[in-house]
């Protein structure tokens, strides 16, 4: 498995961004990203320069578009063509999602609890959702230093509620990146687990996000595997029904994007959390390398399990990273 460092929410001068795709590509490459999704508001015209920028910046560009409407913003990724957003009405968003899926794309809620009009037109999600399984992901971390923002906490809680209800839905971060301005705030990375180690393509990235092979962080890359009956199940997998205990195996790789982030004295805790709440909490201190741990846990009543890394960032105890879940039948 190769973990692609992705930035999944960006804008250029083709909508309200103040950067060209070339400037965006160069900036993302400098920050250690392997891949970015171009998600301009209601247009895909910026993708005309995709191949030139991919080659010169050395970064893969996923096609996308942010549906920007009065009733909410919806990020779409991996489409093979433009899908018309103008029919979207409060009660029919599932028609739009179906059209995105027909074009091979994925649909996610963008920053669902960001303050809406008049501060930001349509930024607050108001679409009626009849079936959460229809959505591929929720952007639970938006902007820089995302884990401390209250609108993101609400989005994260929404995601957890949906998991508890039995839905299998991915969670991502997105900077909603509009310009090449330096920031002192930690930047989030969404890591997508792809099977092909050497080449990147849209199909693989889409498959990873659709299946929930996703880990989100402002620092180390956290991975969770569950071992049951001698089989290993990765992020997004479903552990078949069974009795007894399972083994959770967690790795925390502090060497990713080396030199491009720093969390001094984080005093990490690794937490395993499920539909039953916190099921394990391990103090880890600080590390520059690879941390690994294993825990045997009863599987009674488990619907999902994820790993969360918490620590001290800029004097604030906060979430540093989280995995998408492993699910249980
Ligand atoms: Zn938006
Ligand atoms: Zn946006």
């Amino acid at each position: 498995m190769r973990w692609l460092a992705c930035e999944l929410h960006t804008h250029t001068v083709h909508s309200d961004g103040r950067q060209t795709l070339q400037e965006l590509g160069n900036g993302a490459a400098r920050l250690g990203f392997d891949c970015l999704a171009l998600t301009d508001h209601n247009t895909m015209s910026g993708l005309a320069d995709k191949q030139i920028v991919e080659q010169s910046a050395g970064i893969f560009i996923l096609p996308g578009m942010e549906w920007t409407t009065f009733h909410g913003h919806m990020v779409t990724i991996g489409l093979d063509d433009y899908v018309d957003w103008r029919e979207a009405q409060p009660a029919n968003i599932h028609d739009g999602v179906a059209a995105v899926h027909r074009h091979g794309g994925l649909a996610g809620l963008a920053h669902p609890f960001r303050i809406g009009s008049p501060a930001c037109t349509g930024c607050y999600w108001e679409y009626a959702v009849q079936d959460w399984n229809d959505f591929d992901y929720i952007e639970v971390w938006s902007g820089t230093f995302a884990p401390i923002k209250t609108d993101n906490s609400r989005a994260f809680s929404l995601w957890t509620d949906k998991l508890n209800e039995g839905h299998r839905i991915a969670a991502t971060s997105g900077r909603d990146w509009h310009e090449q301005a330096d920031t002192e705030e930690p930047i989030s990375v969404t890591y997508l687990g792809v099977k092909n180690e050497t080449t990147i393509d849209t199909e693989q990235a889409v498959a990873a996000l659709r299946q929930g092979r996703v880990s989100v962080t402002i620092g180390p890359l956290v991975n969770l595997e569950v071992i049951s009956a001698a089989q290993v199940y990765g992020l997004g997998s479903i552990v078949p029904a069974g009795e007894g205990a399972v083994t959770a195996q967690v790795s925390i790789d502090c060497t990713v994007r080396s030199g491009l982030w720093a969390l001094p004295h984080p005093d990490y805790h690794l937490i395993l959390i499920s539909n039953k709440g916190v099921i394990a909490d391990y103090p880890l201190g600080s590390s520059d390398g690879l941390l690994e741990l294993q825990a045997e846990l009863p599987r009674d009543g488990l619907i999902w399990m994820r790993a969360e890394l918490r620590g001290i960032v800029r004097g604030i105890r906060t979430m540093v990273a989280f995995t998408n879940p492993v699910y249980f039948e």
Side-chain angles (χ1 to χ4, degrees), residues 186-265:
I187 289 164
S188 309
V189 180
T190 301
Y191 284 94
L192 297 182
V194 294
K195 305 234 160 126
N196 187 324
E197 306 264 334
T198 49
T199 56
I200 311 175
D201 59 40
T202 300
E203 214 167 54
Q204 286 193 73
V206 164
L209 181 49
R210 182 187 286 124
Q211 285 158 30
R213 291 196 301 273
V214 182
S215 189
V216 177
T217 185
I218 56 171
L221 167 60
V222 181
N223 189 20
L224 165 68
E225 292 174 325
V226 170
I227 304 167
S228 174
Q231 294 288 317
V232 181
Y233 299 89
L235 298 182
S237 312
I238 303 163
V239 182
E243 300 284 309
V246 293
T247 302
Q249 190 163 269
V250 181
S251 69
I252 298 146
D253 186 350
C254 302
T255 69
V256 290
R257 293 174 61 246
S258 183
L260 294 170
W261 59 272
L263 303 176
H265 314 297

Side-chain angles (χ1 to χ4, degrees), residues 48-98:
D49 299 332
K50 170 176 148 73
Q51 283 181 340
I52 297 167
V53 173
E54 283 179 329
Q55 278 165 16
S56 62
I59 191 162
F60 182 73
I61 298 171
L62 270 170
M65 187 170 94
E66 182 175 14
W67 288 36
T68 307
T69 76
F70 289 116
H71 318 293
H73 291 192
M74 181 170 81
V75 264
T76 67
I77 283 177
L79 306 98
D80 59 17
D81 202 358
Y82 172 84
V83 175
D84 197 346
W85 56 277
R86 290 171 295 179
E87 300 299 316
Q89 293 298 326
N92 74 355
I93 194 63
H94 287 286
D95 295 345
V97 174

